[in-house]
PDB file of all heavy atoms in Angstrom:
ATOM      1  N   VAL A 143      37.238  47.889 -30.865  1.00  0.00           N
ATOM      2  CA  VAL A 143      36.060  48.155 -31.736  1.00  0.00           C
ATOM      3  C   VAL A 143      35.560  49.618 -31.484  1.00  0.00           C
ATOM      4  O   VAL A 143      35.252  50.347 -32.380  1.00  0.00           O
ATOM      5  CB  VAL A 143      34.912  47.240 -31.552  1.00  0.00           C
ATOM      6  CG1 VAL A 143      33.680  47.670 -32.348  1.00  0.00           C
ATOM      7  CG2 VAL A 143      35.311  45.811 -32.070  1.00  0.00           C
ATOM      8  N   GLU A 144      35.576  50.026 -30.298  1.00  0.00           N
ATOM      9  CA  GLU A 144      34.963  51.375 -29.851  1.00  0.00           C
ATOM     10  C   GLU A 144      36.023  52.455 -29.713  1.00  0.00           C
ATOM     11  O   GLU A 144      35.665  53.596 -29.474  1.00  0.00           O
ATOM     12  CB  GLU A 144      34.132  51.230 -28.573  1.00  0.00           C
ATOM     13  CG  GLU A 144      33.003  50.205 -28.667  1.00  0.00           C
ATOM     14  CD  GLU A 144      32.136  50.105 -27.434  1.00  0.00           C
ATOM     15  OE1 GLU A 144      32.593  50.758 -26.412  1.00  0.00           O
ATOM     16  OE2 GLU A 144      31.084  49.553 -27.439  1.00  0.00           O
ATOM     17  N   ALA A 145      37.221  52.129 -29.948  1.00  0.00           N
ATOM     18  CA  ALA A 145      38.229  53.169 -29.889  1.00  0.00           C
ATOM     19  C   ALA A 145      38.184  54.107 -31.015  1.00  0.00           C
ATOM     20  O   ALA A 145      37.805  53.790 -32.145  1.00  0.00           O
ATOM     21  CB  ALA A 145      39.591  52.374 -29.830  1.00  0.00           C
ATOM     22  N   GLU A 146      38.700  55.390 -30.774  1.00  0.00           N
ATOM     23  CA  GLU A 146      38.823  56.367 -31.773  1.00  0.00           C
ATOM     24  C   GLU A 146      39.876  55.890 -32.875  1.00  0.00           C
ATOM     25  O   GLU A 146      39.701  56.187 -34.020  1.00  0.00           O
ATOM     26  CB  GLU A 146      39.133  57.711 -31.192  1.00  0.00           C
ATOM     27  CG  GLU A 146      38.098  58.419 -30.392  1.00  0.00           C
ATOM     28  CD  GLU A 146      36.859  58.823 -31.343  1.00  0.00           C
ATOM     29  OE1 GLU A 146      37.072  59.076 -32.490  1.00  0.00           O
ATOM     30  OE2 GLU A 146      35.716  58.909 -30.801  1.00  0.00           O
ATOM     31  N   ASN A 147      40.894  55.242 -32.342  1.00  0.00           N
ATOM     32  CA  ASN A 147      41.921  54.803 -33.146  1.00  0.00           C
ATOM     33  C   ASN A 147      42.212  53.282 -32.904  1.00  0.00           C
ATOM     34  O   ASN A 147      43.093  52.985 -32.092  1.00  0.00           O
ATOM     35  CB  ASN A 147      43.342  55.549 -32.875  1.00  0.00           C
ATOM     36  CG  ASN A 147      44.341  55.258 -33.871  1.00  0.00           C
ATOM     37  OD1 ASN A 147      44.362  54.254 -34.611  1.00  0.00           O
ATOM     38  ND2 ASN A 147      45.391  56.131 -33.947  1.00  0.00           N
ATOM     39  N   PRO A 148      41.341  52.506 -33.467  1.00  0.00           N
ATOM     40  CA  PRO A 148      41.551  51.002 -33.223  1.00  0.00           C
ATOM     41  C   PRO A 148      42.911  50.404 -33.531  1.00  0.00           C
ATOM     42  O   PRO A 148      43.297  49.544 -32.778  1.00  0.00           O
ATOM     43  CB  PRO A 148      40.465  50.416 -34.209  1.00  0.00           C
ATOM     44  CG  PRO A 148      39.508  51.483 -34.514  1.00  0.00           C
ATOM     45  CD  PRO A 148      40.351  52.613 -34.481  1.00  0.00           C
ATOM     46  N   LYS A 149      43.557  50.929 -34.501  1.00  0.00           N
ATOM     47  CA  LYS A 149      44.933  50.410 -34.879  1.00  0.00           C
ATOM     48  C   LYS A 149      45.931  50.657 -33.654  1.00  0.00           C
ATOM     49  O   LYS A 149      46.753  49.794 -33.583  1.00  0.00           O
ATOM     50  CB  LYS A 149      45.432  50.979 -36.108  1.00  0.00           C
ATOM     51  CG  LYS A 149      44.745  50.579 -37.374  1.00  0.00           C
ATOM     52  CD  LYS A 149      45.332  50.932 -38.624  1.00  0.00           C
ATOM     53  CE  LYS A 149      45.233  52.489 -38.879  1.00  0.00           C
ATOM     54  NZ  LYS A 149      45.800  52.902 -40.203  1.00  0.00           N
ATOM     55  N   GLU A 150      45.731  51.750 -33.061  1.00  0.00           N
ATOM     56  CA  GLU A 150      46.636  52.029 -31.903  1.00  0.00           C
ATOM     57  C   GLU A 150      46.359  50.982 -30.770  1.00  0.00           C
ATOM     58  O   GLU A 150      47.433  50.580 -30.173  1.00  0.00           O
ATOM     59  CB  GLU A 150      46.458  53.472 -31.375  1.00  0.00           C
ATOM     60  CG  GLU A 150      47.329  53.956 -30.283  1.00  0.00           C
ATOM     61  CD  GLU A 150      47.004  55.384 -29.914  1.00  0.00           C
ATOM     62  OE1 GLU A 150      46.911  56.265 -30.814  1.00  0.00           O
ATOM     63  OE2 GLU A 150      46.991  55.709 -28.607  1.00  0.00           O
ATOM     64  N   ILE A 151      45.154  50.762 -30.425  1.00  0.00           N
ATOM     65  CA  ILE A 151      44.930  49.822 -29.383  1.00  0.00           C
ATOM     66  C   ILE A 151      45.318  48.441 -29.796  1.00  0.00           C
ATOM     67  O   ILE A 151      45.869  47.678 -28.964  1.00  0.00           O
ATOM     68  CB  ILE A 151      43.313  49.726 -29.045  1.00  0.00           C
ATOM     69  CG1 ILE A 151      42.884  51.193 -28.754  1.00  0.00           C
ATOM     70  CG2 ILE A 151      42.965  48.777 -27.897  1.00  0.00           C
ATOM     71  CD1 ILE A 151      43.584  51.851 -27.525  1.00  0.00           C
ATOM     72  N   LEU A 152      45.091  48.121 -31.045  1.00  0.00           N
ATOM     73  CA  LEU A 152      45.552  46.777 -31.564  1.00  0.00           C
ATOM     74  C   LEU A 152      47.125  46.609 -31.336  1.00  0.00           C
ATOM     75  O   LEU A 152      47.532  45.529 -30.904  1.00  0.00           O
ATOM     76  CB  LEU A 152      45.279  46.650 -33.056  1.00  0.00           C
ATOM     77  CG  LEU A 152      43.983  45.830 -33.329  1.00  0.00           C
ATOM     78  CD1 LEU A 152      43.748  45.957 -34.876  1.00  0.00           C
ATOM     79  CD2 LEU A 152      44.045  44.403 -32.977  1.00  0.00           C
ATOM     80  N   GLN A 153      47.898  47.673 -31.675  1.00  0.00           N
ATOM     81  CA  GLN A 153      49.325  47.628 -31.502  1.00  0.00           C
ATOM     82  C   GLN A 153      49.736  47.526 -30.081  1.00  0.00           C
ATOM     83  O   GLN A 153      50.630  46.718 -29.772  1.00  0.00           O
ATOM     84  CB  GLN A 153      49.886  48.993 -32.091  1.00  0.00           C
ATOM     85  CG  GLN A 153      51.451  48.861 -32.181  1.00  0.00           C
ATOM     86  CD  GLN A 153      52.131  47.900 -32.932  1.00  0.00           C
ATOM     87  OE1 GLN A 153      51.490  47.437 -33.968  1.00  0.00           O
ATOM     88  NE2 GLN A 153      53.211  47.393 -32.586  1.00  0.00           N
ATOM     89  N   GLU A 154      49.011  48.185 -29.202  1.00  0.00           N
ATOM     90  CA  GLU A 154      49.301  48.020 -27.765  1.00  0.00           C
ATOM     91  C   GLU A 154      49.006  46.600 -27.194  1.00  0.00           C
ATOM     92  O   GLU A 154      49.904  46.112 -26.486  1.00  0.00           O
ATOM     93  CB  GLU A 154      48.490  49.098 -26.977  1.00  0.00           C
ATOM     94  CG  GLU A 154      48.819  50.421 -27.113  1.00  0.00           C
ATOM     95  CD  GLU A 154      47.798  51.415 -26.482  1.00  0.00           C
ATOM     96  OE1 GLU A 154      46.905  50.888 -25.743  1.00  0.00           O
ATOM     97  OE2 GLU A 154      48.057  52.666 -26.515  1.00  0.00           O
TER      98      GLU A 154
END
Side-chain angles (χ1 to χ4, degrees):
V143 170
E144 297 185 349
E146 289 291 334
N147 190 344
K149 289 192 288 186
E150 185 177 314
I151 305 299
L152 263 172
Q153 185 61 32
E154 289 176 3

